[in-house]
Every structure is written in structure tokens, then in C-alpha cells.
Amino acid sequence: EVQMLESGGGLVQPGGSQRLSCTVSGFTFSSYTMSWVRQAPGKGLEWVSSISGSGGSTSYADSVKGRFTISRDNSKNTLYLQMNSLRAEDTAVYHCAKKSCNNCHGYFDSWGQGTLVTVSS
Amino acid sequence: EIVLTQSPGTLSLSPGERATLSCRASQSVSSSYLAWYQQKPGQALRLLIYGASSRATGIPDRFSGSGSGTDFTLTISRLEPEDFAVYYCQQYGSSPYTFGQGTKLEIK
């Protein structure tokens, strides 16, 4: 059974930083592209970033490019999202999501429940 | 960027009825790379449909997807109490991957 557990959310001031983690089990972590998808309170879903199975290829939404960095540690089955220069509009529940394949057009076949990041003074 | 527009925003139906949810894309979705997800409060999102019409593992056959190009539909043939939730469509054919704004399916 695939399990995905996010952590690291909390209250952070505008301009601050936060690092999110997503620990997974139940599949061969290094064989799949992983992503972060966020959901602002009462809003829809927004893809944030993806990273290939090896970690060698990354992509970002324009809204976070240059501020967020996605990474992974395949030895620890853990995905990360380093968020810098946070803004109020980054307030959201951040979900990690497993893509159905690696380096391909794939849907998200497993999701974590998410961790809430609130950016406020 | 492909914009997905879902309709209606809210759908009020009774258990046993048929639900039809629409997802329209601003441009053609390549190779029918269109997925549908279900979201319930406090739960992880659940994949229902991928490739516009293929049911994900463990999804009951009352859920079906159809469509191609710019118009896609999720149909729930006979609503069960556990089907009342928010549904999102998503295209994964071109970057950035985008989602519709969601359709809330509520009990009438």
C-alpha cells in the first residue's frame, strides 16, 4: 500500500523560509517522478514543482520559480520542497503527489493528505 | 497554458441519481491526457480516471469518463452516499499541468 506523509508546515512570516518533507513507502521511490501540488484555502489545485526519479530534472510553476527548490533523497524515500521569500499568496495546503511514471506525461496516482503553510505576520 | 473550466460549479443531486460533470479545455488536450480526481475533507485526493476514460485501480464501474480534444465528461451512473465530494479534472499533456476549479457534488 502506498503511503505518503507530508510534514514541515506551519506559520511563517512574509519573506521567510520553510522546508517541507514528504516521506513515502509502498513503492520504489527512485523509479517515479514526484511533485508538489498546492491548494489555497477554499481554492482549487495548483501544480508547483516536479522532480524526476534520479533528481536530475526539475520543473517549476512560474509563480514559484526562483524562490522554491524541489529535491529528493532516494536513500531516505523522502521528497523535499525548500520555500524561500515566502509571500501571503503562498499560503496553502501543500500535497506531495506521485506521478504514474518517470520522465513522461503522467497523471498523479497517489497523493498525501498535505501540510498547511500559512504565510502571515 | 491550458485553462480547464469545469461545470457546473455545484451539482445538487440525490443518491441513486446520475451525475454528469463537464470539463472544457481552452485548447486541445494532447493524446487525451486528462484525469479526474475526487477530494473529500481531510482525505488525500483519489485518482478516478486517467487517459480520459480509463478507470484507476479499485474505482467502481459506476464512474466513467469520456471525451477528447477540448470536451471531457465524468459520469457517475448511480450516486452512492460516499460519492458526494469535490471533483477536479486535470490535463497532463502539456506543461504546466493544470487543474479545473472543481465541481462540488452535494446531496439534494
Side-chain angles (χ1 to χ4, degrees), chain A residues 6-54:
Chain A
E6 302 93 338
S7 61
L11 177 64
V12 60
Q13 292 193 337
S17 298
Q18 196 86 342
R19 189 175 88 151
L20 307 183
S21 301
C22 174
T23 303
V24 313
S25 61
F27 64 98
T28 305
F29 182 62
S30 59
S31 295
Y32 295 92
T33 292
M34 297 294 295
S35 300
W36 289 97
V37 176
R38 69 184 179 183
Q39 186 170 29
K43 302 294 184 182
L45 300 161
E46 178 190 18
W47 169 78
V48 172
S49 182
S50 293
I51 185 168
S52 63
S54 67

Side-chain angles (χ1 to χ4, degrees), chain A residues 33-39 44-51 58-65 70 94-95 97 99 108 111, chain B residues 1 90-91 94-99:
Chain A
T33 292
M34 297 294 295
S35 300
W36 289 97
V37 176
R38 69 184 179 183
Q39 186 170 29
L45 300 161
E46 178 190 18
W47 169 78
V48 172
S49 182
S50 293
I51 185 168
T58 59
S59 56
Y60 298 92
D62 287 345
S63 58
V64 307
K65 201 172 292 182
I70 192 171
Y94 285 74
H95 302 271
K99 212 173 175 182
F108 300 121
W111 296 70
Chain B
E1 169 174 323
Q90 179 230 345
Q91 67 81 21
S94 64
S95 187
Y97 292 173
T98 51
F99 295 85

Side-chain angles (χ1 to χ4, degrees), chain B residues 48-102:
Chain B
L48 301 173
I49 301 287
Y50 63 92
S53 60
S54 298
R55 264 189 307 276
T57 303
I59 302 303
D61 60 7
R62 64 180 182 274
F63 289 91
S64 63
S66 62
S68 64
T70 61
D71 288 296
F72 299 88
T73 301
L74 173 69
T75 302
I76 311 172
S77 59
R78 190 175 172 83
L79 286 166
E80 297 287 341
E82 62 267 27
D83 298 337
F84 292 92
V86 180
Y87 292 84
Y88 293 96
C89 59
Q90 179 230 345
Q91 67 81 21
Y92 52 97
S94 64
S95 187
Y97 292 173
T98 51
F99 295 85
Q101 82 280 16

